[in-house]
Amino acid sequence: MSLAVKFWGVRGSLPSAPTPQDWSNHIEGVIRNFFNSGFRDPSQISKFVQNMGVPLLGGYGAATTCVEIQSGHTQLIIDGGSGIRNLSERIMTGTTGRAKGPFHIFMTHFHWDHVIGLPFFTPHFIPGCEVHYYAVQPELEATIRGVFRQPYFPVPFEALKAKVFFHVLEPRKKISIDDLQVTPYKLDHPDPCWGLKVEAGGKSYAHCVDTEGTRVSREELGEDLPLYQNIDLMYFDAQYTLPELAEKANWGHSAAQVGLDIALREGIKQVLFAHHDPGARVEQILELKRQTGEYLDSLEQFAAQNNEKNPAVIWDFAHEGLEVKL
Ligand SMILES: [Zn+2]
Ligand SMILES: [Zn+2]
């Protein structure tokens, strides 16, 4: 048994595709790289492109938060940002064999970037389909109904053909969806927002978006500390650079360095950073990545001076469409 995690939307705040000018600048950079790498012949384009990797070539994506987790025959979805539309397309092509569900959608909170795709989740409109919503917030049902309300969306909730169920979760209490266990823990975000620990077959995923990471020490985290413990993959909010984080206190988003501190202390094996700023293009995210690597190097040098060694951690910035198997 393993956990498979797919990131259908990794951007924060607002869906944000590159402008035509952004694309033009980016393509110019790619072509320049082609020649700077010593390639000359058009027949070498395919090899060059394959070596580049998705973010360098196609960017980090436009869609907002939506994560799919599968274990065996069980699937759950975290948040309904605009990324859920592409997931819906895949479901409706029938390749998964579960066009009628049941679908289990866990909501961390209800900011626009986490609900904007929900009306475009086609199973809502299929007779006989089951869609289950889960959240800690008691206003879950009223809020989801509100997403389908006119004049924001033409089809009212009452006209949906699927059977829709609502499940209000108890904070920090584990529930089971077949062979998946899910526990909500509080994050540091306005309104508020609940992260999720998802476990199956001895593997575990921690969903920590959106969070500012204002509580960092074990004492401050208190009863929410287990969200970060015994974790194979943590998905962490890294919308800002460290100086931006200081400027934007109480905005509810964090920086990669904060996530790395937690990961190193708790022995988290792998970290993916996300909730990319709507204004961040490839080059800005690569700069965040460079700063994060520099920070990790400085921590390692500091540890070496004290004859210590930090635990190994695999990390990167997530891009839309990325799949990780645990
Ligand atoms: Zn968000
Ligand atoms: Zn939010």
Side-chain angles (χ1 to χ4, degrees):
M1 185 89 57
S2 63
L3 273 181
V5 188
K6 180 156 182 174
F7 301 91
W8 292 90
V10 298
R11 206 163 274 280
S13 307
L14 193 71
S16 171
T19 63
Q21 188 59 52
D22 290 333
W23 273 120
S24 172
N25 295 342
H26 181 64
I27 290 168
E28 193 179 313
V30 169
I31 294 170
R32 193 175 293 120
N33 270 343
F34 177 80
F35 290 107
N36 287 346
S37 304
F39 293 106
R40 293 290 177 269
D41 193 290
S43 67
Q44 298 168 309
I45 289 174
S46 164
K47 186 177 174 198
F48 169 73
V49 163
Q50 281 165 23
N51 288 340
M52 276 189 84
V54 172
L56 277 178
L57 188 65
Y60 284 83
T64 61
T65 308
C66 178
V67 177
E68 178 193 18
I69 301 179
Q70 293 193 73
S71 169
H73 294 293
T74 314
Q75 175 208 47
L76 64 86
I77 299 163
I78 302 177
D79 281 347
S82 62
I84 204 170
R85 186 191 163 276
N86 280 342
L87 168 58
S88 175
E89 293 273 299
R90 197 208 57 201
I91 288 167
M92 297 318 296
T93 59
T95 52
T96 59
R98 56 163 82 93
K100 296 227 164 179
F103 298 100
H104 303 282
I105 305 178
F106 284 75
M107 301 300 301
T108 59
H109 65 317
F110 307 107
H111 285 164
W112 284 117
D113 50 326
H114 299 255
V115 301
I116 198 169
L118 290 176
F120 303 92
F121 187 63
T122 309
H124 283 126
F125 306 97
I126 311 258
C129 190
E130 271 188 28
V131 182
H132 294 259
Y133 280 96
Y134 304 80
V136 171
Q137 294 87 335
E139 65 273 23
L140 169 67
E141 179 168 353
T143 311
I144 298 300
R145 282 175 174 269
V147 170
F148 290 85
R149 195 168 55 212
Q150 293 167 326
Y152 301 111
F153 192 70
V155 184
F157 182 86
E158 293 69 29
L160 299 183
K161 295 282 188 288
K163 287 184 191 151
V164 184
F165 301 88
F166 296 96
H167 309 268
V168 174
L169 304 174
E170 277 185 49
R172 306 170 192 92
K173 188 172 175 201
K174 190 178 282 188
I175 66 157
S176 292
I177 310 284
D178 299 328
D179 55 350
L180 283 168
Q181 279 95 48
V182 187
T183 319
Y185 292 96
K186 200 168 193 188
L187 296 172
D188 301 323
H189 196 65
D191 281 333
C193 179
W194 291 83
L196 296 161
K197 184 173 187 173
V198 183
E199 300 164 274
K203 299 291 180 185
S204 56
Y205 166 80
H207 187 93
C208 309
V209 172
D210 305 1
T211 191
E212 189 162 340
T214 43
R215 295 172 300 155
V216 178
S217 72
R218 287 181 169 170
E219 293 70 29
E220 286 168 318
L221 283 165
E223 54 189 352
D224 295 312
L225 179 62
L227 176 60
Y228 307 94
Q229 294 188 309
N230 302 312
I231 296 299
D232 293 285
L233 171 63
M234 176 171 73
Y235 188 58
F236 194 83
D237 191 315
Q239 182 158 349
Y240 302 141
T241 62
L242 275 181
E244 283 169 347
L245 182 59
E247 272 169 36
K248 296 180 176 176
N250 302 319
W251 284 36
H253 301 290
S254 197
Q257 292 87 339
V258 176
L260 273 183
D261 281 347
I262 295 174
L264 290 173
R265 187 190 65 217
E266 302 302 338
I268 293 172
K269 296 188 182 77
Q270 187 174 357
V271 186
L272 283 168
F273 297 110
H275 210 272
H276 308 316
D277 195 89
R281 302 272 72 91
V282 183
E283 293 71 21
Q284 280 89 18
I285 297 173
L286 290 176
E287 173 57 19
L288 287 183
K289 199 168 159 176
R290 190 195 64 74
Q291 291 175 14
T292 307
E294 210 171 71
Y295 179 73
L296 193 59
D297 288 346
S298 71
L299 292 181
E300 274 165 12
Q301 280 167 18
F302 184 74
Q305 283 165 9
N306 295 301
N307 294 319
E308 290 169 1
K309 194 163 170 35
N310 287 330
V313 58
I314 301 165
W315 65 274
D316 205 344
F317 280 64
H319 64 80
E320 190 175 315
L322 178 67
E323 280 185 86
V324 178
K325 287 202 167 45
L326 302 175

